[in-house]
């Protein structure tokens, strides 16, 4: 099963910390890939927070096509980060031509437009790039959003980290999602690699999503062009998050009520039982059946973990004030935040949604059953 | 003759039970001249004698053909008589005696394996997604009957960090029910004992077993006492082209203690698509006449089409709205149509009608109490592809959760009620209806796809299921029927869990989970857009 490692910190840190945590969880992933999403970027991107960053992989041909395409759309390159590729003998990674992490200036026509217009443009542009590169595999576009970088490659996570030179020249960030893949598909597709990103939100998941087909079909009919792809059954979790938050505008805690609704008699304990009943009916197609542990990040940088009742081995959330990890395994958390008080570790059960706000000062646990929130102040 | 009566002279005691019980007069007491070999003296001296003996004789008139019901065998104390299917029979060439096309009840005479029975559940959770324990895990085998609002239109607003109702007065009514329903069979078509048994079974399932099984009344109203009882909520009231029983229903509305589960507007029936119904005069006894609001002993013909129906956009929409108004918009109202190539057009219209609560599609393998054989055998659309096409169309327009589809017609045809229902659900149905299955399982209906019995239209049902003759329906114990109804649904509930558990589904019905299905016929797989497995 895939291994998940999300770290939230008050200070910038290197994504190698996530990768080293994944290394301790190695028993659970087969080294078939690493996916990284970095948010709230530091280093050379610290002063570029308003500029959208395109994260992609391309062949030489794709690289030039992409350049041409971006120019034609009016985007001007603002800054480019190039990984210091370190392909040592013995590494199983197949180097691709170009790894692109590029910040752009908005086209003049949208520069002064409201954020919604810019957001739509960024999403549509990413989708266009994806469609452009899909037939010949010349471009893979993972994210195109301000203050977000995505890196993905097939191979052992530690090797991939070193391959990208993250151990020597990392992009520091305050929120880093990392997933070590356990490949359950025979063909390894880069688009099937978590975390999945959509308009400022992302998720990564382990487990199998048995309700994938009905959920995928439902999302595909919502009229959102970005609800596509579905190379992995876990991609729907990111899109559900987007649907619940961006489309419906519901508070984040209702993500749990959508994917794992309460049984009808249980709802009565919640003040908003009537609303929950309606939600359950209207969003029936988005009910997951697990077993899944979902770690997600909302638009505002709130990171959370939820699971369904079938997930018998919960993930863990814990840390110290200023640095909190959300992991699929305790050993990963111990590696990433060694000095924490383990008494404060949270193992979210079927009714829990653990949340960590930017700054990582505390862990909030929302109880779905009674609607209460418990806050754990970290020392 | 389609069935040849085998009578055993040596075992027969000439009690006469078989001839008196035969519903079609296919056998009668007969007198035969018989050549016998006898030896009566002290030493064997066989001689042949001719003697006249009494016995049982099969009538050779086609109108009194043996229908194979085997009631004679049931009553024979000595196992001396039985009908035997004659595969070489030429009945169909002679059934139109007197220029009248062959009419019968029952089902399509196709003993082949239905598409539903070809489907296998092949997505079994293994290791990466452990299968569930059907016996111990918590399952929710429920579905919704009623229109689910799209989430964007939910009457909710955000207050602080919570979602609360925004005070919109109208929310379409939705019932949470067990995904297998008892389809429409009218009181009138069914005997009082059969109907009573079904009702008692349904009420018991709801009240005692807490299994929210609902049953459709069929077109024929409902006994007034039941209409005014607290059990009405377990029944779907059907209105069809004859509007039988609705005078009584409307008059009972002010006295109703609760709302019915739903209103079904029957526009078509899978067994006899495009054709109306007929309750023959002989069946319209006093109590039937009273319930239906008609004179006694007159033929009750339901026209093939609703007389007010001139377009789906207006007339059907108006009918749905009128029926909704009757119960102050508290009751889901939905149409039932027969399986047809034009189902998509109906569906698309309903999808745009905010008051349409669902659509039931009744496939060609549905049953009926009376129809022309040509309608039964040759008209109609199989349910599997019809339903799938409709579901995929809803997926395309993003309304698969708004307008639930219910599938009927041949569910449990070969005895696999839960498996057929589960297959339909995974093809996209929110639930499935059964009719013939429940008659066979709960009351021992003798009919089959070899045209066995199938004389529901004559009012002479040998089991007492589709008759108003007290001598016949006395054979049926309503308590036993109710007991079997309960058995059937409790077992189906367990079987559904047994199917869903290995596929890892427990919190919601796997509606449209087509990746769980496979079939070993490439053409079927392509048509249903499911995987091919062999």
């Amino acid at each position: 099963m895939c291994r998940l490692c999300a770290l939230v910190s008050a200070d910038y840190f290197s994504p190698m910390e996530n990768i080293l945590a994944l290394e301790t969880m190695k028993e659970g992933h087969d080294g078939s890939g690493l996916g990284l999403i970095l948010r709230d970027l530091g280093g050379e991107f610290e002063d570029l927070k308003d500029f959208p960053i395109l994260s992609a992989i391309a062949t030489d041909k794709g690289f030039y096509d992409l350049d041409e395409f971006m120019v034609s759309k009016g985007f001007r390159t603002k800054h480019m980060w190039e990984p210091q590729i370190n392909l040592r003998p013995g590494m199983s990674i197949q180097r691709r031509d170009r790894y692109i992490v590029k910040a752009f200036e908005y086209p003049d026509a949208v520069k002064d437009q409201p954020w919604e217009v810019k957001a739509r443009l960024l999403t549509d542009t990413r989708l266009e790039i994806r469609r452009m590169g899909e037939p010949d595999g010349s471009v893979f576009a993972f994210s195109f959003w301000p203050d977000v970088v995505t890196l993905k490659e097939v191979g052992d996570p530690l090797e991939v980290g070193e391959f990208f030179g993250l151990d020597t020249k990392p992009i520091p960030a305050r929120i880093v999602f990392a997933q070590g893949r356990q490949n359950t598909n025979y063909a390894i597709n880069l688009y099937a690699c978590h975390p999945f990103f959509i308009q400022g939100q992302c998720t990564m998941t382990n487990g199998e999503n048995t309700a994938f087909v009905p959920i995928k079909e439902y999302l595909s009919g919502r009229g959102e062009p970005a609800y596509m792809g579905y190379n992995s059954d876990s991609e729907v979790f990111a899109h559900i998050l987007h649907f619940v938050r961006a489309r419906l505008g519901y508070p984040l805690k209702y993500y749990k009520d959508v994917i794992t609704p309460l049984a009808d008699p249980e709802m009565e304990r919640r003040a908003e039982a009537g609303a929950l009943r309606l939600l359950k009916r209207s969003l029936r197609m988005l009910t997951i059946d697990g077993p899944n542990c979902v770690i997600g990040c909302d638009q505002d940088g709130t990171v959370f973990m939820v699971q369904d009742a079938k997930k018998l081995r919960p993930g863990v959330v814990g840390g110290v004030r200023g640095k909190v990890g959300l992991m699929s395994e305790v050993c990963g958390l111990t590696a990433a935040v060694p000095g924490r008080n383990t008494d404060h570790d949270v193992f979210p059960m079927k009714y829990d949604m653990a949340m960590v706000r930017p700054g990582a000062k505390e862990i909030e646990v929302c109880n779905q059953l009674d609607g209460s929130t418990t806050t754990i102040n970290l020392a | 003759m389609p069935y040849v009566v085998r009578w055993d002279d040596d075992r027969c005691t000439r009690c006469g039970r078989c001839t008196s019980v035969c519903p079609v007069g296919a056998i009668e007491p007969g007198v035969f001249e018989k050549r016998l070999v006898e030896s009566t003296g002290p030493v064997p001296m066989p001689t042949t004698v001719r003697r006249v003996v009494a016995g049982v004789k099969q009538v050779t008139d086609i109108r009194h053909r043996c229908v194979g019901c085997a009631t004679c065998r049931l009553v024979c104390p000595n196992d001396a008589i039985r009908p035997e299917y004659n595969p070489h029979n030429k009945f169909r060439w002679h059934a139109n005696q007197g220029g009248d096309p062959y009419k019968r009840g029952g089902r399509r005479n196709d003993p082949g394996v239905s598409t539903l029975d070809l489907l296998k559940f092949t997505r079994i959770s293994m290791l990466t997604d452990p299968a569930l324990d059907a016996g111990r895990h918590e399952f929710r085998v429920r579905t919704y009957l009623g229109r689910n609002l799209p989430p964007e239109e939910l009457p909710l607003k955000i207050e602080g960090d919570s979602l609360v109702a925004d005070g919109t007065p109208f929310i379409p009514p939705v019932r949470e029910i067990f995904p297998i329903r008892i389809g429409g069979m009218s009181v009138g078509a069914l005997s009082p004992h059969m109907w009573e048994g079904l009702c008692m079974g349904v009420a018991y399932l709801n009240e005692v077993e807490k299994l929210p099984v609902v049953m459709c009344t069929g077109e024929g109203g409902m006994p007034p006492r039941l209409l005014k009882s607290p059990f009405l909520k377990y029944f779907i009231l059907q209105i069809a082209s004859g509007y039988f029983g609705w005078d009584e229903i409307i008059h009972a509305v002010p006295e109703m203690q609760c709302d019915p589960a739903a209103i079904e507007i029957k526009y078509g029936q899978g067994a006899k698509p495009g054709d109306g119904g007929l309750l023959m005069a002989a069946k319209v006894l006093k109590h039937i006449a009273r319930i239906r609001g008609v004179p006694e002993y007159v033929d009750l013909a339901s026209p093939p089409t609703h007389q007010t129906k001139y377009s789906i956009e207006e007339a059907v929409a108006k009918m749905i709205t009128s029926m909704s108004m009757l119960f102050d918009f508290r009751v889901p109202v939905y149409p039932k149509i027969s399986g047809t190539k034009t189902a998509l057009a109906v569906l698309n219209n309903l999808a745009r009608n905010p008051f349409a609560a669902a659509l039931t599609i009744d496939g060609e393998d549905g049953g009926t109490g009376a129809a022309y054989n040509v309608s039964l055998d040759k008209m109609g659309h199989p349910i599997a592809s019809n339903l799938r096409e409709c579901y995929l169309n809803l997926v395309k327009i993003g309304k698969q959760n708004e307008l639930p589809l219910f599938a009927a017609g041949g569910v449990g045809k070969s005895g696999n009620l839960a498996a057929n229902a589960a297959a339909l659900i995974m093809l996209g149905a929110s639930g499935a209806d059964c009719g013939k299955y429940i008659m066979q399982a709960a009351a021992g209906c003798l009919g089959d796809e070899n045209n066995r019995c199938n004389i529901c239209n004559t009012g002479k049902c040998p089991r007492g299921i589709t008759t108003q003759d007290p001598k016949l329906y006395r054979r049926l114990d309503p308590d036993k029927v109710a007991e079997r109804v309960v058995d059937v649904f409790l077992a189906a509930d367990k079987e559904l869990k047994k199917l869903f558990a290995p596929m890892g589904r427990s919190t919601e019905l796997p509606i449209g989970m087509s990746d769980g299905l496979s079939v070993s016929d490439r053409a079927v797989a392509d048509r249903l857009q499911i995987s091919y497995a062999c």
Side-chain angles (χ1 to χ4, degrees), chain B residues 175 206-207 214 229-236 258-262:
Chain B
R175 306 282 191 253
N206 279 277
E207 301 271 324
V214 294
S229 78
F231 306 116
L232 178 64
K233 55 182 174 284
Y234 310 136
F235 295 88
I236 297 168
C258 58
D259 292 326

Side-chain angles (χ1 to χ4, degrees), chain A residues 159-194:
Chain A
E159 283 186 8
V160 173
E162 289 168 355
F163 168 76
F164 281 131
L166 294 177
D167 50 342
T168 53
K169 188 196 164 195
I171 303 176
R174 285 197 180 107
I175 300 169
V176 177
F177 274 44
Q179 187 233 19
R181 281 198 83 208
Q182 171 71 34
N183 185 37
T184 46
N185 309 312
Y186 294 102
I188 298 174
N189 182 328
L190 278 177
Y191 281 129
C193 188
H194 312 220

Side-chain angles (χ1 to χ4, degrees), chain A residues 319-322 324 341 344 360-364 374-379:
Chain A
V320 295
R321 193 174 179 82
V324 174
N341 178 358
H344 290 160
K361 292 191 182 101
E362 54 201 20
I363 303 168
E364 292 166 47
T374 309
T375 304
I376 299 162
N377 279 304
L378 297 169

Side-chain angles (χ1 to χ4, degrees), chain A residues 57-60 85 93-99 137 140 152-154 163 188 190:
Chain A
I57 293 179
T59 60
D60 283 331
I85 298 293
I93 300 162
Q94 298 280 316
R95 184 189 170 150
R96 294 167 212 259
D97 296 343
R98 305 281 181 156
Y99 295 94
F140 292 88
K152 292 184 182 180
E153 190 46 282
V154 176
F163 168 76
I188 298 174
L190 278 177

Side-chain angles (χ1 to χ4, degrees), chain B residues 436-469:
Chain B
K436 295 190 307 293
Y437 180 91
I438 205 76
M439 287 204 197
Q440 294 181 92
C445 165
L446 301 160
D448 73 9
E449 282 77 19
N450 283 319
N451 206 21
R452 184 182 181 202
C453 198
N454 288 350
I455 53 167
C456 336
N457 60 319
T458 63
K460 290 178 179 160
C461 171
R463 280 304 212 192
I465 302 169
T466 56
T467 177
Q468 298 303 326
D469 182 346

